[in-house]
Amino acid sequence: MSSLRQHPLANVDWLTVIVYAIMVLFGWMNIYSAAVVDTNPSPFDISQEYGKQFIWVLVSFFLALLTLYVEGDFFNKLAIFIYGFFVLLLVLVLIIGKEVNGAKAWFGIGDFGIQPSEFSKIGVGLLLAKYISSSGSQFKNWKTRMMAAAIIGLPALLILKQPDVGSVLTFTAFIFAMYREGLSGNVLIIGLGAIVFGVLSIV
């Protein structure tokens, strides 16, 4: 255990990291190719969308590295606070957020924008993992399942209020984590069907 604390990079799945890094690189290149202008051809020009995206790539890399050096128990203890903080941001963005493409989903900070719905997925993942792990075999009862659904559903409803249907759809991935812990396949199919029909009715 002590060796893992001293060398956190030794336990990293580097193949997955490399594949992910390549996908991020391709994504950034696609943004550059779609938005490049003759007057600002540099891909590192932060006044353009591709330059801003590059900044976020660097920030994400730093945060990922920092996370590896933090003990997992730290996130377990703070999961409820992290979740609550991001839910609060989702409420605030509906009040004081900046509207972009018809969705009030952004906090404008100078030339940059922060979309709290993206960060809220972290809070949901942490709290859901903490709750499911503490519930153990009790996850098979409806009370525990409904609580897990509420953890996912609260931020999803706030994001739907913006409205940002695309981000809401990404929350359906958490349902598969519940299925892995014992959620009935029938419930999974019915739930996904209800989500699809709900989104289609809104659209």
Side-chain angles (χ1 to χ4, degrees):
M1 182 64 70
S2 59
S3 61
L4 289 177
R5 291 180 179 177
Q6 294 175 1
H7 306 285
L9 298 180
N11 204 33
V12 173
D13 183 351
W14 287 109
L15 178 59
T16 301
V17 171
I18 292 172
V19 171
Y20 180 76
I22 292 173
M23 293 175 64
V24 170
L25 178 61
F26 282 159
W28 177 51
M29 291 172 62
N30 284 334
I31 294 174
Y32 175 72
S33 64
V36 64
V37 292
D38 294 336
T39 55
N40 296 284
S42 173
F44 309 110
D45 185 352
I46 61 173
S47 67
Q48 304 299 315
E49 289 299 324
Y50 39 84
K52 295 175 184 178
Q53 186 69 21
F54 178 71
I55 295 296
W56 286 119
V57 169
L58 294 180
V59 170
S60 299
F61 174 78
F62 171 75
L63 291 177
L65 191 62
L66 181 64
T67 302
L68 287 175
Y69 282 87
V70 178
E71 293 185 24
D73 192 50
F74 172 81
F75 295 105
N76 185 52
K77 291 179 179 178
L78 294 183
I80 183 64
F81 300 104
I82 296 173
Y83 177 86
F85 175 72
F86 288 132
V87 167
L88 177 61
L89 289 183
L90 290 175
V91 173
L92 288 177
V93 79
L94 293 173
I95 302 172
I96 61 174
K98 180 175 65 175
E99 187 171 322
V100 178
N101 295 328
K104 204 171 185 180
W106 297 81
F107 287 120
I109 303 177
D111 292 333
F112 288 86
I114 295 179
Q115 191 174 10
S117 61
E118 295 298 327
F119 296 96
S120 66
K121 299 169 190 175
I122 300 173
V124 172
L126 289 174
L127 186 58
L128 187 63
K130 176 181 175 66
Y131 181 71
I132 290 177
S133 63
S134 63
S135 300
S137 60
Q138 295 181 1
F139 189 76
K140 294 185 179 298
N141 65 58
W142 278 102
K143 181 180 178 180
T144 307
R145 292 177 179 178
M146 293 301 293
M147 184 61 189
I151 292 173
I152 302 171
L154 176 58
L157 288 174
L158 290 171
I159 295 171
L160 194 60
K161 185 71 176 177
Q162 294 174 359
D164 185 359
V165 178
S167 293
V168 172
L169 289 176
T170 63
F171 275 75
T172 59
F174 289 111
I175 298 178
F176 292 100
M178 296 170 63
Y179 173 72
R180 183 179 180 275
E181 294 299 321
L183 183 67
S184 169
N186 294 329
V187 175
L188 177 66
I189 295 173
I190 293 172
L192 290 176
I195 292 171
V196 171
F197 283 115
V199 171
L200 289 177
S201 65
I202 293 173
V203 174

